[in-house]
Amino acid sequence: MDNQIGSFQAPGRMGSSAVLETSCGYLLQELKIIWDEVGEDQFEREKVLLDLEQECLEVYRRKVDRANISRARLHQELAEAEAEFTHLLLSLGERSLPGRPEKMTGTLKEQLDSITPALREMRLRKEERVNQFRAVQGQIQKTSAEIAGQSEYHDLSSIVMVNENDLSLKKLEEYQVELQRLHNEKNESLQRVEKYIDKIHNLSAILGTDSSMIITKVHPSLNELSGMSKNISESILAKLNNTVESLEEEKQKRLEKLCQLGRALTNLWNLMDAPFSDRQLFSHVTDLLSVSSKDVSDPGSLTLVIIQQAEAEVKRLDHLKASKMKELFLKKHNELEEICNKSHMEIPSQSEMDNIINLLNSGEIDHANLLMSMDEQISRAKEEASSRKAIMEKVEKWILARDEELWLEEYNRDENRYSVSRGAHKNLRRAERARITANKIPALVYLLIAKTKSWEEERKKVFLYDEVPLLAILEEYNMLIQEKEEEKQRQRARYQQPAAFKQELEWRI
């Protein structure tokens, strides 16, 4: 019994304090007194003591197991803390943390307590770095969405997926560089959008169209009154470019239309000798004839209203031209006749004139082409008259000289030319001048024949004078002069023959 009690007390003494040993001994002593008083047999007493010993061992074993578990947990926490600390160092891209002991000593709790502040600081650093990454990546997503034209984008920074395995400053800088690149791309796209919008405003002002409606049709966000951020996606840029090109094409078409109308107005004004006041009303249209599309920038210069007004004026002048065309044609024909008559050239026949007048009355002839044809005829007539000028001047001199010659012949046949009468001395002086002029006729005719032949060879045509070849007239004149000269010689011969016979008769007598 004493041995059992001793064996029972041994574990207590090994794992308990002195107070515990005293308490156990007292309780065993009290139990022994009770057994003695009760008369408990020895077998039961040993069984109870054995049970007590087993129960004590179970209690100690449970305590040891819990202590082992606690120690293992501390080892695990310390290992996890060190692993987490190392992982944080690696993910943050840092080699060490000032203040953390390089080599830890002491109990597990002491070692855990020494690493906990450094780990807490590293966790704070990680949280701060994660927030920085989340903010930058959120801005990248937002800017990318704006560039892509995702107007429905919302702030998704709270659900941005951050790779916590790489939170280094180098990686953060890469994201910041990417964000800056996206900002630049966004600004460039925004500038392109603004440039397109400015072009649309300018072109719309020139064409007199509503730029706001055109811009809104491309995308509502581009309208300043929408209050939305502008969509700057590539598709929107393409639409804006197409819109600008379409407006440029419309501008070119309207300019060409107004230039066509301007030329028509100018032609009609010139045809009808329109006054300056009428022309001034449409000077804004004719001024466009000398400019290119890129030089047209005045607001309202290519509106549909201006085109309609110019078309109405052309239509009005066309009607007016039709009523005045006969008058204009006759005026130009008279001008042509005057040129031809002055230079003794052939003029259009009256039958041809009547035919043209009939066509004018029936409207079966193009007025513009007719007047253009008349202008061409007048131009050719002027050119031919200019080429005939030198010959015609000498023809006029020849005609005047011939008139003087005829007058001299009449004068010479007048038997009373030497009578003393009023004006006889004037006729005598004129006869002297006429004789001098008549003596120059052969040389003048010779020169005229030479110039006329030269003109005909150069022009490959006959020089007509009142529809008669001039050379024929001159040759006829030469023949006439020759005949007159022969007649004079015959007359002188007849006068000389009686005088010679009389002289011979007187000599014989």
Side-chain angles (χ1 to χ4, degrees):
M1 181 70 177
D2 293 337
N3 292 335
Q4 289 175 348
I5 293 174
S7 62
F8 173 75
Q9 291 176 342
R13 287 194 299 269
M14 291 174 61
S16 303
S17 63
V19 176
L20 181 59
E21 291 180 357
T22 302
S23 298
C24 288
Y26 174 77
L27 290 172
L28 285 172
Q29 188 65 35
E30 186 176 353
L31 182 59
K32 182 180 178 182
I33 293 171
I34 294 171
W35 283 340
D36 290 339
E37 183 178 348
V38 171
E40 190 73 39
D41 62 11
Q42 187 64 30
F43 178 78
E44 289 295 332
R45 291 185 181 191
E46 289 179 356
K47 182 180 178 183
V48 170
L49 291 175
L50 182 61
D51 290 340
L52 286 174
E53 184 178 358
Q54 289 298 325
E55 290 177 3
C56 286
L57 286 174
E58 288 296 327
V59 170
Y60 276 108
R61 187 174 291 111
R62 287 195 298 272
K63 291 294 184 180
V64 171
D65 289 341
R66 283 198 293 270
N68 280 330
I69 292 172
S70 177
R71 181 180 64 179
R73 186 171 60 251
L74 286 175
H75 274 294
Q76 183 178 358
E77 289 178 2
L78 182 60
E80 289 176 353
E82 289 181 341
E84 182 181 358
F85 189 86
T86 302
H87 177 72
L88 289 174
L89 283 176
L90 293 174
S91 63
L92 294 174
E94 298 181 3
R95 295 184 177 181
S96 62
L97 178 70
R100 181 202 174 190
E102 293 294 332
K103 196 171 184 181
M104 294 187 296
T105 57
T107 64
L108 292 176
K109 289 186 177 181
E110 288 174 348
Q111 293 181 41
L112 191 58
D113 290 340
S114 68
I115 197 174
T116 298
L119 183 60
R120 188 182 300 113
E121 183 177 350
M122 289 300 293
R123 287 172 177 170
L124 292 175
R125 288 193 181 188
K126 175 187 175 182
E127 183 179 357
E128 181 181 355
R129 190 71 57 82
V130 168
N131 291 334
Q132 289 177 331
F133 270 80
R134 184 174 288 111
V136 173
Q137 289 180 247
Q139 286 296 318
I140 289 175
Q141 290 184 2
K142 181 180 179 182
T143 307
S144 299
E146 291 175 347
I147 293 174
Q150 298 176 6
S151 57
E152 300 300 325
Y153 174 81
H154 300 288
D155 186 7
L156 301 177
S157 59
S158 58
I159 58 173
V160 170
M161 301 301 295
V162 178
N163 181 13
E164 297 187 5
N165 293 324
D166 188 356
L167 299 173
S168 63
L169 292 175
K170 180 181 179 182
K171 190 65 176 179
L172 180 62
E173 184 178 356
E174 290 178 1
Y175 280 121
Q176 290 171 340
V177 170
E178 174 67 9
L179 178 60
Q180 185 61 47
R181 185 191 67 78
L182 291 172
H183 274 309
N184 294 338
E185 183 179 348
K186 173 186 173 182
N187 291 334
E188 181 182 351
S189 298
L190 188 58
Q191 289 175 3
R192 290 173 63 191
V193 168
E194 293 295 342
K195 186 176 180 181
Y196 280 127
I197 290 176
D198 289 341
K199 285 184 178 180
I200 292 174
H201 282 306
N202 294 335
L203 290 169
S204 298
I206 294 171
L207 300 175
T209 56
D210 186 1
S211 60
S212 178
M213 184 179 298
I214 295 174
I215 292 171
T216 302
K217 188 175 180 180
V218 175
H219 197 275
S221 67
L222 302 180
N223 193 322
E224 297 291 343
L225 301 178
S226 67
M228 298 184 292
S229 60
K230 290 183 175 61
N231 190 314
I232 57 175
S233 64
E234 286 296 327
S235 61
I236 293 299
L237 287 170
K239 288 183 180 180
L240 286 171
N241 183 67
N242 292 337
T243 302
V244 170
E245 288 180 352
S246 176
L247 291 174
E248 290 281 5
E249 290 176 2
E250 180 65 19
K251 178 184 177 183
Q252 182 64 36
K253 288 180 182 178
R254 293 192 185 183
L255 178 60
E256 291 175 356
K257 180 65 176 178
L258 282 175
C259 286
Q260 181 183 356
L261 293 170
R263 285 189 290 270
L265 286 172
T266 303
N267 292 334
L268 290 168
W269 289 334
N270 293 337
L271 286 174
M272 294 181 287
D273 294 327
F276 176 77
S277 57
D278 290 352
R279 304 185 184 207
Q280 188 65 23
L281 292 175
F282 288 90
S283 60
H284 58 286
V285 175
T286 54
D287 288 344
L288 296 174
L289 293 174
S290 58
V291 299
S292 61
S293 178
K294 63 179 181 180
D295 295 327
V296 179
S297 58
D298 294 337
S301 55
L302 299 177
T303 63
L304 290 175
V305 174
I306 291 178
I307 294 177
Q308 292 167 358
Q309 291 174 347
E311 288 176 335
E313 180 65 9
V314 169
K315 186 176 181 181
R316 184 185 73 83
L317 292 176
D318 271 332
H319 289 302
L320 185 61
K321 179 189 71 173
S323 63
K324 289 190 175 183
M325 187 54 60
K326 186 186 297 183
E327 177 185 346
L328 290 171
F329 172 74
L330 293 175
K331 180 179 178 181
K332 290 184 180 293
H333 186 268
N334 291 336
E335 181 182 357
L336 178 61
E337 282 189 338
E338 183 180 353
I339 295 171
C340 293
N341 289 332
K342 187 175 180 180
S343 295
H344 298 270
M345 296 186 300
E346 184 181 5
I347 58 177
S349 64
Q350 187 60 41
S351 60
E352 183 179 352
M353 279 287 298
D354 294 340
N355 183 40
I356 292 176
I357 293 298
N358 292 332
L359 291 174
L360 281 173
N361 291 333
S362 65
E364 296 178 1
I365 191 170
D366 189 338
H367 298 161
N369 289 339
L370 175 60
L371 293 181
M372 187 180 299
S373 175
M374 288 298 298
D375 287 335
E376 291 175 357
Q377 291 187 44
I378 291 173
S379 177
R380 288 196 299 269
K382 288 181 177 179
E383 189 273 333
E384 183 163 348
S386 176
S387 71
R388 295 163 58 99
K389 183 177 180 182
I391 296 176
M392 291 305 301
E393 288 176 352
K394 295 193 180 304
V395 169
E396 290 175 2
K397 288 182 180 181
W398 171 59
I399 292 174
L400 291 175
R402 190 177 60 177
D403 290 341
E404 288 297 303
E405 183 184 32
L406 293 174
W407 181 87
L408 182 61
E409 291 176 355
E410 292 288 337
Y411 177 76
N412 288 334
R413 286 193 293 267
D414 186 3
E415 296 179 354
N416 299 321
R417 62 184 180 277
Y418 296 119
S419 63
V420 179
S421 61
R422 187 175 181 181
H425 63 287
K426 292 183 179 179
N427 289 334
L428 185 61
R429 285 197 296 272
R430 180 181 176 186
E432 288 296 325
R433 290 195 300 271
R435 192 173 290 108
I436 294 172
T437 301
N439 291 334
K440 295 179 180 179
I441 289 178
L444 183 59
V445 171
Y446 176 80
L447 183 60
L448 261 175
I449 291 174
K451 283 186 171 293
T452 303
K453 287 182 177 180
S454 176
W455 187 92
E456 290 182 346
E457 289 176 359
E458 180 182 351
R459 296 264 174 170
K460 306 299 182 185
K461 62 188 291 188
V462 177
F463 190 104
L464 298 178
Y465 184 89
D466 291 338
E467 301 184 12
V468 180
L470 180 59
L471 285 178
I473 296 174
L474 294 173
E475 290 173 358
E476 182 181 356
Y477 174 77
N478 280 338
M479 292 176 61
L480 180 62
I481 293 300
Q482 186 176 355
E483 290 175 358
K484 287 183 178 180
E485 189 62 32
E486 291 175 354
E487 180 64 26
K488 286 181 182 180
Q489 289 179 2
R490 285 194 296 269
Q491 290 179 0
R492 281 197 295 269
R494 284 197 298 268
Y495 291 144
Q496 290 175 359
Q497 186 176 4
F501 176 75
K502 183 179 179 181
Q503 185 177 3
E504 183 180 355
L505 183 62
E506 288 178 351
W507 178 78
R508 290 183 177 182
I509 294 173

